[in-house]
């Protein structure tokens, strides 16, 4: 394998629970090792990574149900504990997505951890099955179908889902034709099984983990399937574990997530002295946005170099969704709104290499669609979209619309894992009160499912990702103390 360094924007078919993904992916030069042999660590290739980071390759079955299954590669990285005398074990960094990688997180966000946590653990990242530089998948999607506003199922301006159903069929057909056998074996449960193989290969009796966004669902599934292999588990920005809808529930969560977070944007965008101020009163921002989106539905603005090459209402809505992931992104939406009001567009946003987009989109589609069967009837989506548009006009029906799973040719190979309270009480949930992608209402469903196994810390913050990101000092201290010492609050806690 060869090094690929890439920075990828949110590929929104996979981004039902993620924001922008910054991935710099080193590839191991080591000899692949089976769990019984351990891992052969070597220097990582590529630039922009910590010189201490090591790389290896783990081989796992493509199909865990088949004893003769071919093996696939999982790319793994680590930075060892900074104090071997106090080392407790491994902290696995579980990425969001599906379609995200934590391969460079030991060099990246892992270095934001306080020193006592860095002393306690080896930091380990990985590229989940299907995602390069692990054995990759690719659907060979049309260029237009890689547009973020197409990967999220925004309906037509009049609410019609005909175009979404056609897109779902086209994308599902492409994945069936080009995705190979591996795309049929992408699932959350299989990612959890890969993590268990990784634990064994690392020689750890138990594994600690920090899962973020979709990674909270992966972490919860791992803790359900392998409860006595877990040590200290932090789940950050939490997915609804609904065992009937799974990713459909995550997508639907954007309705409430936008309602929870848009007022914060409106307050910022109306603040005196803000160079990107959109209106003089916060109360005016929402109707202004809705009117502008409708105008762009009717009269799109040409946008050379963008995908699609026009600024239409759905591109504006998707920009709104992307921007609400973090207050640091608010200027992106404000600048676009100000330009569109004047009938102009900013420079086209930079796009990642198409090969990266293809890979990430394929991993997302395979995982979401293999986890659970979605409705195939257009009538189901027509009804749901109409209801959503009436109640949540900012999201225009998108969160209840059809994705490629509506036409997916492969039935799920197993039922979704039901998250329960059975197992050791060693899980700490941390959750921003206002989160566009994983709203508090969905996080509370995971808290309820885990019962006595978990304690939840809710922080009075806005944005997606809480610990050491958009959270607050109280929440950060609580999580850091748990990772370093195992001490959790005695009950669910609110950090103002």
């Amino acid at each position: 394998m060869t090094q690929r360094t890439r920075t990828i924007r949110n590929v929104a078919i996979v981004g039902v629970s993620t924001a922008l993904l910054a991935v710099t992916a080193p590839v191991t030069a080591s000899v692949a090792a089976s769990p019984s042999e351990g891992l052969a660590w070597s220097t990582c290739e590529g630039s922009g990574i910590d010189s201490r980071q090591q790389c290896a390759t783990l081989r796992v079955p493509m199909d865990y149900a088949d004893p003769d299954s071919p093996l696939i590669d999982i790319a793994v990285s680590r930075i060892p504990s900074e104090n071997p005398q106090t080392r407790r074990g491994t902290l696995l960094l579980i990425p969001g997505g599906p379609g995200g990688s934590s391969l460079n997180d030991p060099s990246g966000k892992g270095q934001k951890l306080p020193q006592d946590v860095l002393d306690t653990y080896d930091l380990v990242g990985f590229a989940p099955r299907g995602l390069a530089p692990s054995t990759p998948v690719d659907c060979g999607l049309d260029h237009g179908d890689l547009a973020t506003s197409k990967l999220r199922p925004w309906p037509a301006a009049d609410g019609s889902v005909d175009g979404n159903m056609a897109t779902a069929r086209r994308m599902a057909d492409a994945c069936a034709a080009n995705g190979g056998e591996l795309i049929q074996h992408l699932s959350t449960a299989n990612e959890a099984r890969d993590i268990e193989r990784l634990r064994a290969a690392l020689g750890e009796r138990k594994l600690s983990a920090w899962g973020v966004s979709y990674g909270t669902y992966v972490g919860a599934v791992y803790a359900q399937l392998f409860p006595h292999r877990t040590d200290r588990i932090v789940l950050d920005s939490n997915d609804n574990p609904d065992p009937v809808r799974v990713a459909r529930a995550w997508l639907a969560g954007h309705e409430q997530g936008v309602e929870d977070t848009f007022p914060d944007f409106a307050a910022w965008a109306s603040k005196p002295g803000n160079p990107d101020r959109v209106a003089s009163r916060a109360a005016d921002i929402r109707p202004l946005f809705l009117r502008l989106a409708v105008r762009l539905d009717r009269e799109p603005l040409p946008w050379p170099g963008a995908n699609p090459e026009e600024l239409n209402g759905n591109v504006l809505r998707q920009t709104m969704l992307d921007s609400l992931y973090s207050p640091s992104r608010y200027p992106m939406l404000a600048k676009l709104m100000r330009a569109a009001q004047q009938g102009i567009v900013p420079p086209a946003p930079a796009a990642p290499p198409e090969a990266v987009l293809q890979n990430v989109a394929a991993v997302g589609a395979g995982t979401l669609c293999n986890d659970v069967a979605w409705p195939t009837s257009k009538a189901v989506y027509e009804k749901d979209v109409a209801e959503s548009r009436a109640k949540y006009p900012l999201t225009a029906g998108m969160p209840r619309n059809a994705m490629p799973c509506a036409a997916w040719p492969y039935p799920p190979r197993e039922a979704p894992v039901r998250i329960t309270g059975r197992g050791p009480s060693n899980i700490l949930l941390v959750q921003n009160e206002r989160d566009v992608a994983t709203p508090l209402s969905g996080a509370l469903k995971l808290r309820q499912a885990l019962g006595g196994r978990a304690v939840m810390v809710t922080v009075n913050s806005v944005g997606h990702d809480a610990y050491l990101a958009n959270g607050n000092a109280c929440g950060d201290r609580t999580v850091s103390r748990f990772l370093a010492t195992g001490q959790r609050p005695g009950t669910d806690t609110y950090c103002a």
Side-chain angles (χ1 to χ4, degrees):
M1 294 184 291
T2 59
Q3 158 70 15
R4 293 207 306 176
T5 301
R6 63 251 175 95
T7 300
I8 55 180
R9 265 186 110 244
N10 178 32
V11 181
I13 187 175
V14 305
V16 294
S17 57
T18 56
L20 305 184
L21 302 172
V23 180
T24 308
V27 178
T28 176
S30 73
V31 177
S34 70
S36 61
E37 298 168 334
L39 291 164
W41 297 101
S42 68
T43 301
C44 298
E45 301 173 2
S47 59
I49 54 176
D50 193 300
S51 61
R52 298 168 298 167
Q53 183 167 301
Q54 305 167 330
C55 287
T57 301
L58 174 72
R59 308 212 75 189
V60 301
M62 179 187 298
D63 181 0
Y64 280 95
D66 178 6
D68 299 318
S69 171
L71 300 179
I72 59 172
D73 291 343
I74 304 294
V76 184
S77 64
R78 76 170 178 185
I79 292 180
S81 161
E82 296 189 11
N83 188 345
Q85 292 182 333
T86 62
R87 180 188 180 277
R88 178 181 179 86
T90 289
L91 180 66
L92 181 68
L93 308 174
I94 306 178
S101 171
S102 64
L103 199 57
N104 271 4
D105 283 355
S107 294
K109 75 173 190 177
Q111 295 308 304
K112 297 179 181 179
L113 290 162
Q115 190 62 48
D116 55 354
V117 178
L118 294 174
D119 289 343
T120 302
Y121 300 102
D122 297 346
L123 303 182
V124 171
F126 68 108
R129 59 170 50 210
L131 189 70
S134 299
T135 303
V137 293
D138 188 319
C139 289
L141 301 177
D142 293 345
H143 173 74
D145 287 339
L146 292 171
T148 310
S149 57
K150 183 66 73 69
L151 291 169
R152 292 283 179 104
W154 297 99
D158 63 357
S160 169
V161 304
D162 290 347
N164 305 107
M165 294 300 289
T167 298
R169 287 191 295 273
R170 184 171 60 252
M171 295 175 73
D173 288 347
C175 288
N178 304 313
E181 185 181 355
L182 177 55
I183 203 163
Q184 302 179 48
H185 299 283
L186 303 178
S187 71
T188 303
N190 279 341
E191 184 172 334
R193 294 178 181 113
D194 293 343
I195 289 173
E196 174 60 8
R197 290 293 183 105
L198 176 56
R199 178 204 60 77
L202 290 168
E204 299 287 6
R205 187 174 64 87
K206 293 185 177 183
L207 194 64
S208 294
W210 173 17
V212 179
S213 193
Y214 166 69
T216 65
Y217 183 61
V218 176
V221 168
Y222 179 76
Q224 187 68 37
L225 295 179
F226 307 100
H228 298 295
R229 294 300 188 182
T230 60
D231 190 12
R232 299 170 184 168
I233 306 297
V234 172
L235 304 181
D236 173 356
S237 306
N238 296 276
D239 272 323
N240 182 346
D242 186 330
V244 175
R245 296 184 299 162
V246 192
R248 288 185 67 213
W250 309 338
L251 188 66
H254 285 90
E255 294 172 333
Q256 190 59 52
V258 167
E259 293 296 329
D260 290 345
T261 53
F262 195 88
D264 191 80
F265 167 74
W268 173 88
S270 58
K271 188 174 296 184
N274 182 351
D276 296 312
R277 194 181 192 193
V278 176
S280 60
R281 298 191 312 158
D284 295 333
I285 303 294
R286 180 187 180 105
L288 190 156
F289 174 86
L290 292 171
R291 289 194 303 270
L292 186 57
V294 170
R295 192 181 93 190
L296 291 170
D297 284 335
R298 294 193 308 263
E299 302 171 359
L301 298 172
W303 204 356
N307 186 14
E309 290 200 330
E310 65 176 27
L311 173 56
N312 57 42
N314 283 341
V315 171
L316 180 68
R317 295 179 184 102
Q318 181 60 48
T319 303
M320 178 266 295
L321 197 64
D322 290 342
S323 299
L324 294 182
Y325 274 78
S326 171
S328 66
R329 298 183 195 169
Y330 291 171
M332 179 171 63
L333 175 57
K335 291 178 189 299
L336 188 61
M337 290 177 65
R338 286 162 58 93
Q341 285 179 290
Q342 301 172 44
I344 60 176
V345 294
E354 187 152 318
V356 173
L357 295 176
Q358 291 281 6
N359 181 210
V360 174
V363 172
T367 305
L368 300 180
C369 301
N370 291 335
D371 269 0
V372 69
W374 287 47
T376 58
S377 168
K378 184 178 78 167
V380 170
Y381 297 106
E382 287 177 330
K383 176 177 179 292
D384 285 352
V385 166
E387 291 177 354
S388 182
R389 286 168 66 85
K391 190 172 182 180
Y392 302 98
L394 285 171
T395 45
M398 182 279 292
R400 298 195 212 175
N401 206 355
M403 295 183 75
C405 310
W408 199 246
Y410 310 112
R413 293 172 176 262
E414 57 186 318
V417 175
R418 181 179 291 274
I419 305 303
T420 74
R422 295 190 297 273
S425 182
N426 59 358
I427 300 173
L428 178 64
L429 279 61
V430 59
Q431 178 70 35
N432 284 341
E433 195 169 20
R434 297 171 300 285
D435 183 331
V436 67
T438 55
L440 178 61
S441 54
L444 290 170
K445 297 293 180 66
L446 179 58
R447 173 67 189 91
Q448 180 181 23
L450 289 167
R453 297 191 67 184
V455 171
M456 183 165 171
V457 179
T458 304
V459 299
N460 180 18
S461 295
V462 63
H464 187 55
D465 295 0
Y467 180 48
L468 304 180
N470 296 299
N472 62 25
C474 165
D476 290 349
R477 283 195 305 270
T478 303
V479 176
S480 296
R481 182 170 57 246
F482 171 63
L483 288 174
T485 70
Q487 297 179 15
R488 290 184 311 179
T491 60
D492 290 354
T493 301
Y494 181 76
C495 279

